[in-house]
Amino acid sequence: QKEVEQNSGPLSVPEGAIASLNCTYSDRGSQSFFWYRQYSGKSPELIMSIYSNGDKEDGRFTAQLNKASQYVSLLIRDSQPSDSATYLCAVIPFSGGYNKLIFGAGTRLAVHP
Amino acid sequence: SAVISQKPSRDICQRGTSLTIQCQVDSQVTMMFWYRQQPGQSLTLIATANQGSEATYESGFVIDKFPISRPNLTFSTLTVSNMSPEDSSIYLCSVDGGYGNIQYFGAGTRLSVL
């Protein structure tokens, strides 16, 4: 079982719709969760961090965390073509011992006009 | 967030040679990290570099192949040694943002080995 799993996509949504990206993780003791956005040929850019159960909103982005289900998601409201990128879920597992980020394979999002 | 400068941004190298990648941060940071992103893949941690101690390597990565230096709190280097075409990847450094275990990434080095 992979430590962090994501659907590779592509996830195709029309402009203005809500894009829902999902991620599951295997280490139940994980405490820190991140969503990064990576445009083609660029480095990852932090979108959201979340540490406790529930929702965290920042502009058009909402991160949701459910530790009991070992599940973290990212919602993008009013999706724009500029949101088209690969979204990487990253987790710091309890067993890491230090700030070791484990990345999922990423979900490619395509927002079409 | 920290400003991270990584160079070179890209290079084309011959097999059997070595390349040293530099990562410079505009503020002092405790932890710096080196990742590899192979074509079409996600990021894999190579090693963690703390100032004043040996780097900690992840499973599958060894010091002889990827020696790392961390001479001070703002700078680190990663060397890719005795390169083969399988080393063709993007190499990224990141730094601990100082709160919430957040990491920020440099622009990356795109390496092609012929």
Side-chain angles (χ1 to χ4, degrees), chain B residues 6 9-21 34-41 44 46 60-67 78-92 108-114:
Chain B
Q6 190 174 336
S9 59
R10 60 177 63 229
D11 208 340
I12 301 173
C13 301
Q14 298 296 318
R15 70 170 65 212
T17 63
S18 298
L19 176 71
T20 295
I21 303 168
W34 288 98
Y35 290 84
R36 180 175 72 182
Q37 187 171 30
Q38 295 179 299
Q41 305 288 318
T44 301
I46 296 171
F61 298 97
V62 295
I63 187 171
D64 289 347
K65 176 67 175 178
F66 298 101
L78 169 76
T79 299
V80 186
S81 303
N82 188 25
M83 288 184 285
S84 66
E86 291 71 35
D87 295 318
S88 298
S89 291
I90 299 172
Y91 292 86
L92 295 136
T109 296
R110 187 178 296 269
L111 171 63
S112 297
V113 183
L114 305 179

Side-chain angles (χ1 to χ4, degrees), chain A residues 6 12 14-15 19 23-24 33 38 48 81 87 106 113:
Chain A
Q6 296 180 254
S12 183
E15 184 174 357
C23 172
T24 59
F33 308 87
Q38 187 174 29
M48 294 283 287
Y87 289 80

Side-chain angles (χ1 to χ4, degrees), chain A residues 6 31-32 34 36 38 40-46 49 51 88-89 92 98-106, chain B residues 31 33 35 37 41-45 48 56-58 90 92 96 99-108 110:
Chain A
Q6 296 180 254
Q31 296 295 323
S32 303
F34 309 91
Y36 285 85
Q38 187 174 29
S40 181
K42 301 295 185 181
S43 64
E45 171 192 12
L46 182 69
S49 60
Y51 306 97
L88 301 169
C89 173
I92 295 182
Y98 46 88
N99 296 353
K100 172 182 174 179
L101 273 177
I102 305 296
F103 283 87
Chain B
M31 303 177 80
F33 306 86
Y35 290 84
Q37 187 171 30
Q41 305 288 318
S42 190
L43 283 74
T44 301
L45 180 64
T48 302
T56 302
Y57 289 83
E58 298 300 308
I90 299 172
L92 295 136
D96 187 328
Y99 60 94
N101 299 323
I102 289 173
Q103 291 184 27
Y104 298 101
F105 285 84
R110 187 178 296 269

Side-chain angles (χ1 to χ4, degrees), chain A:
Chain A
Q1 180 188 6
K2 293 182 181 178
E3 293 184 78
V4 179
E5 296 208 49
Q6 296 180 254
N7 188 321
S8 61
L11 174 65
S12 183
V13 301
E15 184 174 357
I18 296 175
S20 178
L21 305 163
N22 303 314
C23 172
T24 59
Y25 59 93
S26 61
D27 188 325
R28 183 170 291 277
S30 300
Q31 296 295 323
S32 303
F33 308 87
F34 309 91
W35 284 98
Y36 285 85
R37 177 176 64 195
Q38 187 174 29
Y39 292 113
S40 181
K42 301 295 185 181
S43 64
E45 171 192 12
L46 182 69
I47 298 296
M48 294 283 287
S49 60
I50 189 167
Y51 306 97
S52 56
N53 283 329
D55 294 359
K56 179 181 178 182
E57 185 175 320
D58 184 1
R60 294 187 296 113
F61 299 96
T62 299
Q64 300 174 317
L65 175 61
N66 184 326
K67 290 185 179 180
S69 300
Q70 296 174 237
Y71 175 93
V72 58
S73 65
L74 179 70
L75 301 178
I76 306 174
R77 290 182 298 281
D78 189 24
S79 295
Q80 301 297 310
S82 59
D83 294 325
S84 298
T86 297
Y87 289 80
L88 301 169
C89 173
V91 176
I92 295 182
F94 177 79
S95 57
Y98 46 88
N99 296 353
K100 172 182 174 179
L101 273 177
I102 305 296
F103 283 87
T107 298
R108 190 155 55 92
L109 173 66
V111 182
H112 53 86

